[in-house]
Amino acid sequence: MKKTDYSCTVLLAGNPNVGKSTVFNALTGMHQHTGNWAGKTVSGAEGFFNLSEERIRLVDLPGAYSLRGGSPDEQAASELVNGLDYQCIIITTDASALEKGLPLCLELLQHTKCAVMCLNLWDEAIKRGVCIDTEKLSDLLGIPVVVTSARSGKGLRELKDTLQDVLTKEEMQSACVTETDDIPEKAKKIAAVCISSRGNPYMNWEQRLDRLLTSRVTGLPMLGLLLAIIFFITIAGANYPSMWLASLFEFIGSLMRSWLTTFGVHEIVTGLLIDGIYGTLADVISVMLPPMAIFFPLFTLLEDLGYLPRAAFVLDPVFNRAGSGGRQALTMMMGFGCNACGITGCRIIPDRRERLIAAVTNNFSPCNGRFPTLIAVTGIFMTAKLNSLTGSAAGALILAAAVSTSIGISLIVTRLLSAILYKGRRARFILELPPYRRPQLAKTIVRSMLDRTVFVLGRAAAVAAPAGALLWIMTNVTIGDKSLAGHMCALLEPAGAVLGLDGEILTGFILGFPANEIVLPITLSLYGDGIGTLSEILTSNGWTIKTALCMMAFTMMHFPCSTACITIKKETGSTLWTLLGFLIPTVCGIVCCILINTVFSIFGL
């Protein structure tokens, strides 16, 4: 955007996990992803909002504790502060932990005298019994202080009014910091004068819960239990809606075919539209939508509660034994949403070699696009002979065990790469555990549906439509006695047999390289015009429990999607590391499938 399109630039700075992205979204009307844990913003985001008649450019900096830190996100924040032409900084701090944010505030005031402090999370401070003399704080810092609770929108109008006043004043404001000041000592003195607190049972409740969720004895079992509960609810709730959607789309497809035939549309066009594009889209929606609509809101609730960094804390000793640390655990958690985001999130890891290892192993975290397939296969083949409740519970445990296995293999690969690449002492992992926060259920559901379910489904549909057209062409253009698709499936059949799969499944994985979401729908299309439920179609094409287990293994461990590969190349700047990121999980998936197939063959299962 050209300079003439806005009147001035304002920076939005602050520590990680102070609600900075929430303030950014509230001011700009954008939907930058927010989470109740550190490390979510790893690059500057840009948006715009209006103050009276002026258009303001707002730049959200990566969360940082200091402009002098060595991590990539803190370096990025420092570069933006030193390199951008800006007129003011909104310094966002956590009102319940003001003393932690004051050092960065004082550092920023060394770079500008025009600033506003946004004292966010005021409601959390009240709950914790924290009292802040905002007038005294404003006097000591020499800048205006505005109290906000951005999640509920409180104080944002006052923030904009104050910002407008600051920008229209000609004289500079703060002169409280020089280059000669001892910033940590000065921050302590300001905190001592401005902050008081009283005892509050809210903190005792948090401490008791943390003892359960983060202790060495109960931390890992609680992590497994929470994942199993989420999987149980998802499996129990997704099966019937998936069948209903499949039946509905089949009915609509037959009506559309009749209409096209009635209007005299050529059968080739009808086949391309109905059997190709529409059929693949219908498979994508019926297979993916129900589990996504349940799983993503539940996972987002855990995120909003503040559990994900606690999971990283619990996993830190495990990752240490693998030669890494809790920062990689954080990026792994991000990978459960999207591997490309998890790879980008590796910027929070200060050491380059650890960062490279985390980037190429992030694909072991099953992403948004793979969970629907895992859940569908588990629900059909692992629980089919049990009643609904027992089957869902068994499926949840199986899926939790499968994900845990994938993470375990990731740790083994991390250990091997660390032993080869890393020499010397590793950086210490310091993690700030955010406060527990009550999720806003309505906003959480809407955000998870829009940011994850609709986004992932939309991306899958955008890829599925041309993929469906290509599949129809491949299945209707023949060479000799077989279609192009038939030749490809036949070529891959021997490899599929070794892996406990078949040629159609491997073809689905190859053609699904643009997006993991479309692998199973493509496979269904390759099986032809199957009639019945998903379970009946797969069973009629030779699927057994062995096939399902191998499918789950290869779904969790195969080459990254095209977006993730591009992100690895961008983040590492290396073709070799991108190739390793492609090959390592694929080789692991192949080995696991061969082992499963061999075990079943030995025991005659």
Side-chain angles (χ1 to χ4, degrees):
M1 180 169 287
K2 297 179 180 179
K3 174 70 176 177
T4 54
D5 291 335
Y6 53 89
S7 58
C8 68
T9 296
V10 174
L11 303 187
L12 183 62
N15 297 155
N17 199 50
V18 296
K20 199 161 48 63
S21 295
T22 306
V23 174
F24 177 86
N25 290 339
L27 291 175
T28 63
M30 295 177 67
H31 299 285
Q32 181 175 324
H33 183 64
T34 60
N36 186 20
W37 51 298
K40 291 298 296 181
T41 305
V42 293
S43 60
E46 182 178 296
F48 298 85
F49 66 99
N50 294 324
L51 283 179
S52 297
E53 302 300 323
E54 303 294 331
R55 183 168 171 80
I56 308 298
R57 175 194 182 206
L58 184 65
V59 179
D60 183 12
L61 306 184
Y65 293 103
S66 172
L67 299 180
R68 305 164 187 169
S71 66
D73 47 337
E74 291 184 330
Q75 290 176 1
S78 178
E79 289 171 3
L80 289 169
V81 169
N82 288 296
L84 286 179
D85 178 18
Y86 56 90
Q87 285 66 49
C88 186
I89 302 179
I90 299 176
I91 305 171
T92 310
T93 56
D94 181 353
S96 64
L98 174 61
E99 63 277 13
K100 181 184 62 185
L102 281 173
L104 177 65
C105 175
L106 295 174
E107 282 189 43
L108 290 167
L109 292 179
Q110 288 182 332
H111 294 267
T112 181
K113 294 181 180 180
C114 184
V116 176
M117 174 175 278
C118 173
L119 203 55
N120 195 33
L121 303 174
W122 189 252
D123 50 347
E124 295 289 337
I126 294 173
K127 287 180 182 178
R128 292 167 175 269
V130 176
C131 301
I132 299 174
D133 188 332
T134 56
E135 291 185 5
K136 187 174 293 184
L137 178 63
S138 178
D139 291 338
L140 291 172
L141 294 177
I143 60 174
V145 174
V146 181
V147 170
T148 65
S149 295
R151 295 180 78 211
S152 59
K154 294 180 180 179
L156 293 174
R157 180 69 261 174
E158 290 79 3
L159 177 61
K160 293 180 74 172
D161 291 342
T162 303
L163 180 62
Q164 184 172 7
D165 291 341
V166 168
L167 290 172
T168 54
K169 287 181 179 179
E170 295 183 1
E171 70 273 11
M172 303 299 278
Q173 293 175 316
S174 176
C176 75
V177 187
T178 68
E179 298 295 334
T180 60
D181 277 326
D182 183 342
I183 285 182
E185 186 62 30
K186 192 175 186 69
K188 288 181 182 178
K189 290 180 179 179
I190 294 175
V193 173
C194 299
I195 305 172
S196 60
S197 62
R198 59 182 184 275
N200 196 301
Y202 181 80
M203 286 294 292
N204 294 330
W205 174 83
E206 278 199 352
Q207 291 165 356
R208 286 195 294 269
L209 187 56
D210 267 342
R211 290 192 190 102
L212 176 66
L213 295 179
T214 63
S215 80
R216 294 184 178 181
V217 177
T218 60
L220 281 174
M222 286 303 300
L223 172 60
L225 178 61
L226 287 171
L227 284 177
I229 290 172
I230 290 178
F231 293 146
F232 168 75
I233 297 173
T234 303
I235 292 172
N239 287 334
Y240 289 110
S242 196
M243 289 188 292
W244 296 335
L245 281 173
S247 299
L248 175 63
F249 286 128
E250 185 178 348
F251 174 72
I252 294 174
S254 63
L255 288 180
M256 292 171 63
R257 190 186 302 275
S258 299
W259 293 337
L260 292 174
T261 303
T262 301
F263 286 108
V265 178
H266 195 280
E267 62 180 6
I268 292 179
V269 177
T270 300
L272 178 65
L273 293 176
I274 302 301
D275 299 326
I277 296 174
Y278 174 81
T280 306
L281 284 172
D283 288 338
V284 166
I285 296 172
S286 60
V287 170
M288 292 182 58
L289 180 58
M292 284 195 303
I294 300 171
F295 176 79
F296 292 160
L298 292 175
F299 197 79
T300 305
L301 282 175
L302 278 186
E303 189 176 6
D304 287 352
L305 280 166
Y307 179 69
L308 293 192
R310 287 167 171 84
F313 176 81
V314 168
L315 289 171
D316 178 52
V318 180
F319 275 85
N320 273 327
R321 294 189 187 96
S324 183
R327 287 185 181 87
Q328 184 172 343
L330 278 175
T331 63
M332 182 190 72
M333 294 296 173
M334 297 173 75
F336 280 114
C338 172
N339 292 128
C341 293
I343 294 163
T344 302
C346 293
R347 296 176 190 175
I348 66 175
I349 301 174
D351 183 84
R352 173 171 168 76
R353 285 169 291 185
E354 284 190 37
R355 192 159 64 247
L356 290 171
I357 293 171
V360 300
T361 58
N362 192 270
N363 194 61
F364 286 100
S365 299
C367 65
N368 287 342
R370 288 182 277 173
F371 266 114
T373 298
L374 294 171
I375 292 168
V377 172
T378 301
I380 291 170
F381 287 94
M382 306 302 164
T383 64
K385 296 183 179 181
L386 302 174
N387 63 53
S388 179
L389 187 62
T390 306
S392 297
L397 292 176
I398 291 169
L399 192 52
V403 173
S404 299
T405 301
S406 180
I407 294 172
I409 294 175
S410 172
L411 291 169
I412 293 172
V413 172
T414 297
R415 181 60 189 166
L416 292 174
L417 291 175
S418 297
I420 295 170
L421 294 173
Y422 202 93
K423 304 296 181 184
R425 188 175 181 179
R426 292 173 177 82
R428 181 178 297 177
F429 175 53
I430 300 174
L431 174 67
E432 172 200 354
L433 294 181
Y436 292 101
R437 293 175 189 154
R438 181 182 302 170
Q440 297 172 305
L441 291 178
K443 287 186 178 180
T444 296
I445 293 172
V446 170
R447 177 163 62 85
S448 64
M449 291 297 291
L450 292 177
D451 292 354
R452 289 182 171 173
T453 304
V454 174
F455 171 77
V456 174
L457 194 62
R459 185 180 68 175
V463 175
L470 175 63
L471 274 176
W472 187 87
I473 294 171
M474 290 180 66
T475 54
N476 285 274
V477 174
T478 59
I479 298 178
D481 60 343
K482 290 183 180 179
S483 66
L484 292 174
H487 280 291
M488 187 172 181
C489 293
L491 181 66
L492 294 172
E493 185 65 31
V498 173
L499 300 179
L501 303 171
D502 58 33
E504 285 80 4
I505 297 173
L506 291 186
T507 302
F509 275 104
I510 293 172
L511 296 181
F513 174 63
N516 288 306
E517 297 89 337
I518 63 173
V519 171
L520 185 57
I522 288 176
T523 303
L524 294 175
S525 299
L526 289 169
Y527 284 143
D529 298 326
I531 299 176
T533 65
L534 177 62
S535 174
E536 292 167 345
I537 294 172
L538 296 179
T539 303
S540 66
N541 282 278
W543 278 51
T544 62
I545 290 180
K546 180 188 75 173
T547 314
L549 285 172
C550 292
M551 179 66 175
M552 290 177 66
F554 206 62
T555 297
M556 289 186 294
M557 291 173 284
H558 71 279
F559 44 83
C561 70
S562 58
T563 303
C565 287
I566 292 170
T567 307
I568 294 174
K569 180 63 170 67
K570 178 182 176 182
E571 293 298 316
T572 65
S574 167
T575 302
L576 174 61
W577 279 99
T578 305
L579 185 61
L580 287 174
F582 185 95
L583 292 177
I584 288 173
T586 307
V587 170
C588 291
I590 290 172
V591 171
C592 284
C593 287
I594 291 175
L595 288 175
I596 294 170
N597 191 28
T598 302
V599 169
F600 271 75
S601 298
I602 290 174
F603 291 97
L605 299 175

